[in-house]
Amino acid sequence: MWESETESVRGREYGNGVLSSSKHGVKTDGFELRGQSWYVATDVPSDLLVQVGDMNFHLHKYPMLSRCGKVNRLIYESNNPELNKIAFEDLPGGGEAFELAAKFCYGVAVDLTAGNISGLRCAAEYLEMTEDLEEGNLIFKTEAFLSYVVLSSWRDSILVLKSCEKLSPWAENLQIVRRCSESIAWKACANPKGIKWAYTGKPSKVSSPKWNDLKESSPSRSQPVPPDWWFEDVSILRIDHFVRVVTAIKVKGMRFELIGASIMHYAAKWLPGLIKDGQGQGPADDVMSISSNSNSSCGSSSWKGGLHMIVAGTKDENPSIQAKDQRMIIESLISIIPPQKDSVSCSFLLRLLRMANMLKVAPALVTELEKRVGMQFEQAILADLLIPSYNKGETMYDVDLVQRLLEHFLVQEQTESSSPSRPPFSDKHMYEGTQRGNNPNAKMRVARLVDSYLTEVSRDRNLSLTKFQVLAEALPESARTCDDGLYRAIDSYLKGHPTLSEHERKRLCRVMDCQKLSIDACMHAAQNERLPLRIVVQVLFSEQVKISNALANSTLKDPAETQYQPLIPNHKTLLEATPQSFQEGWAAAKKDINTLKFELESVKAKYLELQNDMENLQRQFDKLSKQKQTSAWTTGWKKLSKLTKMTPVESQDIGPQMSTTVEQTRKAPRRWRNSIS
């Protein structure tokens, strides 16, 4: 038992936690346990048998009737004064609490501790040990100890709240849970510099704390108190009591970062599968890892208060109880996560979402959790995003879930960009936490994450082309400055789906912009036999346009400035920005490109030659056809009409030549016709 800080102050009033009464009708030296029965050590034979569960108490009527209203009422309402047997099947606290109450009735000294006070208080209420029967009865004594001793102590409040787990609903109705939660909340929100009481501190290597070793594990008073000093102590509580404490702490104004950290600490203790890295695991492997982790946690500690889930892979015939407890923990944690953006990490939310899907948590809470992930989706990593599909769907990973997360992210980004002047929440700290993650690079980080996710899931042959295309096109074009990651995902999908038709391959490649590929990606695509020929031509054309634009830009600048500087940094930057796989085969690809360029120029030259020959033949054919249709007179008249339309200067220049030609024509008309032919 822990010693409370206030025992020295309250010792005069409550006898250092020892209850005694000088008024008793039967003198006794104590109680004796014989098997499953308790006997009063006195010479007077017992005349009352009380059964509490599997325990029997051989008592006397007078001490019990004088202080227990329930016993008094049962005997006198039975109309049988000789009644000597009573059974209490639903007495809170069981036989241990009734033993202490019976000792109090006989005047035997009873030690009140943080471990037995809640059960004794509920038993006193059940037995109706009120002030109407005797002044200073058990209800008054236990209530005073709770108010003046337990609630003033950090450790005692924790222990009493822990002991209330087996006393529902009595402890709840008697306000023991509420008062202990309020006491813990007040002390947790205290200034760490002013903390005088001892606490567990950081958790040890053992999965659960041993409360008897608290003094040895507690930090010294000279050490500075960390802000998370209360995490470990509060994490031993059952989930419903933990929720009560966290809710009270929220009301007191605790920072949302600390509340979120305490929730993550609690989840790491009570949800063993949450801290397991699920990268590369399937649904069956995921459940098996949780089961093995649960078994190891049970065996590593003597503390039996934890809830451990065994869903599959074991010989347990009834795993639904453990799964129900785990589901209740997850649903409760989701409901108390602070609404601020950075209260918990995105990795924690994704792992919680993974277990929520596995345990079939309420759809409304799953949707709320998905929205929370969408608020900070840019902080996610690929390992946490690979969530198996637990609905026995076609794909190995839950691609639809990632699609919904991406939609929530885009909606959140659009909402924040449309109303930047006003905060989305009224709380100042909430607004600060929300704006901290809002930056223009968020979409780019999400684009890289989606490209990596597509590359990973594209190996699944059950992944349809439509799902791949919808997820790849969900982000706007401005989110990707370089499509190398998207090209890598497309290439991986083509490897995993070799039976795609030409039309499907073209449809797949439409999600990629060839103009956004780096040099190494273009080199790789130029010799990629899985790509459609049309895409290869587009890649080569876009690369040719890039080279032409680069040369044009370099000629406009000063040669002295661009002699060395433009080439070296750009080449180095491109090499750093592209993966190693695209850098292989550089020399062979370059030689192929040069060969294709040379062949293209040769084809162009031959085409021009053929075009010139065709034009010459066409002109000769036109001349022959005109000769058959017209005579010399019509041709001459046409020429004369052209001469009449000329300007005077032109007629003077051409006049002598034309006159000579006319004379020759008149003298020798046959020779003129022969020259035409």
Side-chain angles (χ1 to χ4, degrees):
M1 168 198 164
W2 283 329
E3 295 179 0
S4 175
E5 295 85 342
T6 56
E7 276 90 0
S8 59
V9 179
R10 309 295 176 186
R12 294 190 302 273
E13 300 180 32
Y14 300 101
N16 288 327
V18 178
L19 289 183
S20 61
S21 178
S22 59
K23 299 179 181 180
H24 53 85
V26 179
K27 294 183 179 181
T28 177
D29 296 331
F31 281 61
E32 296 178 359
L33 178 61
R34 302 173 189 173
Q36 294 293 323
S37 301
W38 283 94
Y39 294 89
V40 182
T42 180
D43 296 334
V44 180
S46 62
D47 56 354
L48 180 63
L49 175 62
V50 180
Q51 293 181 347
V52 182
D54 57 351
M55 299 295 296
N56 296 323
F57 294 86
H58 298 271
L59 306 173
H60 301 83
K61 288 184 179 180
Y62 177 73
M64 302 301 297
L65 292 175
S66 62
R67 291 173 181 172
C68 293
K70 191 176 184 66
V71 176
N72 198 337
R73 181 164 48 82
L74 289 176
I75 291 178
Y76 286 99
E77 287 180 357
S78 65
N79 295 324
N80 184 12
E82 302 299 328
L83 181 66
N84 57 4
K85 184 178 180 180
I86 299 175
F88 295 139
E89 297 295 339
D90 55 347
L91 188 142
E96 296 179 0
F98 184 78
E99 176 197 349
L100 298 177
K103 288 181 178 179
F104 175 79
C105 292
Y106 278 87
V108 179
V110 177
D111 292 334
L112 295 182
T113 64
N116 63 21
I117 186 62
S118 57
L120 189 57
R121 172 67 182 88
C122 295
E125 190 72 22
Y126 178 88
L127 295 173
E128 302 174 10
M129 302 176 70
T130 62
E131 296 295 296
D132 297 337
L133 298 176
E134 182 179 343
E135 186 178 355
N137 210 344
L138 188 58
I139 291 180
F140 175 79
K141 299 280 188 180
T142 53
E143 189 66 30
F145 186 83
L146 276 171
S147 301
Y148 293 100
V149 178
V150 172
L151 298 181
S152 61
S153 169
W154 167 261
R155 297 171 178 173
D156 291 350
S157 299
I158 294 285
L159 279 180
V160 170
L161 192 56
K162 180 69 179 175
S163 64
C164 289
E165 296 175 358
K166 301 178 181 179
L167 299 173
S168 299
W170 287 90
E172 191 73 36
N173 295 335
L174 295 175
Q175 305 296 321
I176 300 177
V177 174
R178 182 191 62 80
R179 288 183 289 174
C180 289
S181 301
E182 292 286 338
S183 174
I184 294 170
W186 276 113
K187 294 176 177 61
C189 295
N191 189 351
K193 295 181 180 180
I195 290 177
K196 302 292 185 181
W197 53 85
Y199 52 91
T200 301
K202 294 183 179 180
S204 58
K205 296 181 181 180
V206 184
S207 61
S208 304
K210 295 182 179 180
W211 294 98
N212 295 331
D213 300 337
L214 183 76
K215 291 184 179 181
E216 287 75 10
S217 61
S218 298
S220 62
R221 300 295 177 86
S222 60
Q223 295 178 354
V225 178
D228 58 349
W229 62 270
W230 52 277
F231 287 4
E232 183 65 21
D233 290 346
V234 174
S235 65
I236 73 159
L237 300 175
R238 199 173 62 183
I239 182 61
D240 54 342
H241 294 162
F242 177 77
V243 170
R244 294 288 295 270
V245 171
V246 170
T247 304
I249 288 176
K250 281 183 180 179
V251 175
K252 301 298 185 296
M254 174 71 73
R255 287 183 300 161
F256 65 86
E257 296 94 343
L258 285 177
I259 295 177
S262 67
I263 293 174
M264 291 190 289
H265 184 88
Y266 186 89
K269 178 184 287 293
W270 291 81
L271 300 174
L274 194 69
I275 59 176
K276 197 74 175 173
D277 192 357
Q279 186 177 5
Q281 292 183 345
D285 298 334
D286 193 17
V287 175
M288 286 287 292
S289 66
I290 295 176
S291 302
S292 60
N293 199 351
S294 300
N295 294 333
S296 62
S297 299
C298 291
S300 62
S301 175
S302 60
W303 180 47
K304 302 299 182 182
L307 298 177
H308 302 286
M309 178 181 60
I310 305 174
V311 177
T314 63
K315 297 181 180 180
D316 192 0
E317 299 294 337
N318 189 18
S320 59
I321 298 177
Q322 290 84 356
K324 183 179 179 181
D325 293 336
Q326 295 277 308
R327 190 184 307 116
M328 181 179 62
I329 292 175
I330 293 176
E331 291 177 350
S332 300
L333 292 180
I334 294 174
S335 63
I336 63 173
I337 294 177
Q340 291 86 350
K341 183 174 182 178
D342 294 329
S343 58
V344 293
S345 65
C346 186
S347 177
F348 170 77
L349 292 174
L350 284 171
R351 292 168 188 261
L352 199 63
L353 182 60
R354 180 195 190 104
M355 293 193 68
N357 288 334
M358 182 179 64
L359 296 173
K360 309 296 183 183
V361 172
L365 292 175
V366 173
T367 303
E368 181 66 25
L369 191 58
E370 291 176 358
K371 291 181 180 179
R372 292 299 308 272
V373 175
M375 288 174 59
Q376 34 194 131
F377 195 50
E378 70 276 5
Q379 304 172 7
I381 59 176
L382 179 61
D384 294 330
L385 208 59
L386 295 174
I387 300 176
S389 180
Y390 296 104
N391 296 326
K392 296 182 180 180
E394 298 179 354
T395 58
M396 180 185 300
Y397 296 105
D398 199 342
V399 182
D400 295 333
L401 173 62
V402 178
Q403 175 70 27
R404 293 195 299 271
L405 297 179
L406 188 57
E407 291 175 357
H408 290 311
F409 167 77
L410 294 175
V411 170
Q412 181 69 22
E413 285 288 318
Q414 185 178 3
T415 303
E416 293 181 0
S417 60
S418 61
S419 58
S421 58
R422 62 180 182 88
F425 304 98
S426 59
D427 187 49
K428 179 180 178 181
H429 298 290
M430 189 182 300
Y431 173 65
E432 292 175 354
T434 305
Q435 294 298 317
R436 185 161 52 249
N438 185 17
N439 54 69
N441 295 326
K443 288 184 180 179
M444 296 182 183
R445 290 198 296 268
V446 171
R448 290 194 294 267
L449 177 65
V450 171
D451 293 345
S452 301
Y453 180 80
L454 287 173
T455 304
E456 189 69 26
V457 302
S458 61
R459 303 185 182 97
D460 186 4
R461 298 202 172 186
N462 294 325
L463 178 64
S464 64
L465 177 60
T466 303
K467 287 187 177 182
F468 184 95
Q469 186 177 7
V470 169
L471 187 58
E473 294 178 344
L475 287 168
E477 295 182 0
S478 59
R480 293 184 178 94
T481 57
C482 180
D483 278 8
D484 286 3
L486 198 56
Y487 168 70
R488 190 162 54 247
I490 292 173
D491 186 48
S492 178
Y493 190 87
L494 291 174
K495 287 181 182 179
H497 301 76
T499 59
L500 290 178
S501 62
E502 184 71 15
H503 173 71
E504 291 175 335
R505 287 190 295 162
K506 290 181 180 179
R507 176 185 165 192
L508 174 66
C509 294
R510 287 196 195 104
V511 303
M512 174 183 62
D513 188 358
C514 298
Q515 297 181 1
K516 291 184 179 181
L517 296 179
S518 63
I519 293 179
D520 289 340
C522 291
M523 297 302 104
H524 187 277
Q527 55 185 351
N528 193 346
E529 298 178 354
R530 291 179 291 273
L531 294 177
L533 182 60
R534 181 182 181 87
I535 301 301
V536 176
V537 173
Q538 289 181 1
V539 170
L540 294 176
F541 178 74
S542 62
E543 188 61 25
Q544 181 68 26
V545 171
K546 289 180 186 177
I547 295 174
S548 301
N549 293 335
L551 293 176
N553 293 332
S554 62
T555 55
L556 296 176
K557 297 181 180 180
D558 187 5
E561 296 180 358
T562 60
Q563 185 176 2
Y564 300 103
Q565 295 180 0
L567 298 177
I568 298 176
N570 291 338
H571 184 65
K572 186 185 295 184
T573 304
L574 289 171
L575 288 179
E576 292 177 354
T578 53
Q580 184 67 25
S581 60
F582 288 154
Q583 299 181 20
E584 299 175 357
W586 169 266
K590 189 175 182 180
K591 186 181 297 184
D592 293 341
I593 294 297
N594 293 332
T595 303
L596 290 174
K597 289 180 180 179
F598 178 75
E599 292 178 356
L600 184 61
E601 294 296 333
S602 301
V603 171
K604 286 182 179 180
K606 291 180 181 180
Y607 175 74
L608 291 175
E609 292 178 0
L610 292 173
Q611 189 175 11
N612 292 330
D613 295 341
M614 185 64 184
E615 290 177 355
N616 293 332
L617 291 174
Q618 186 68 31
R619 283 195 295 269
Q620 293 178 5
F621 178 76
D622 293 340
K623 290 179 181 180
L624 290 174
S625 61
K626 288 180 180 180
Q627 179 184 0
K628 294 178 181 180
Q629 294 176 2
T630 60
S631 62
W633 287 104
T634 58
T635 304
W637 281 110
K638 287 180 180 180
K639 290 184 178 181
L640 289 173
S641 62
K642 289 181 180 180
L643 291 174
T644 58
K645 293 179 181 180
M646 291 183 181
T647 59
V649 179
E650 292 176 347
S651 61
Q652 290 177 5
D653 295 337
I654 305 176
Q657 299 177 2
M658 200 61 193
S659 60
T660 305
T661 305
V662 172
E663 291 175 358
Q664 292 177 358
T665 303
R666 290 176 180 177
K667 292 178 181 180
R670 184 177 295 276
R671 185 181 303 170
W672 178 77
R673 278 200 297 271
N674 289 336
S675 64
I676 291 298
S677 63

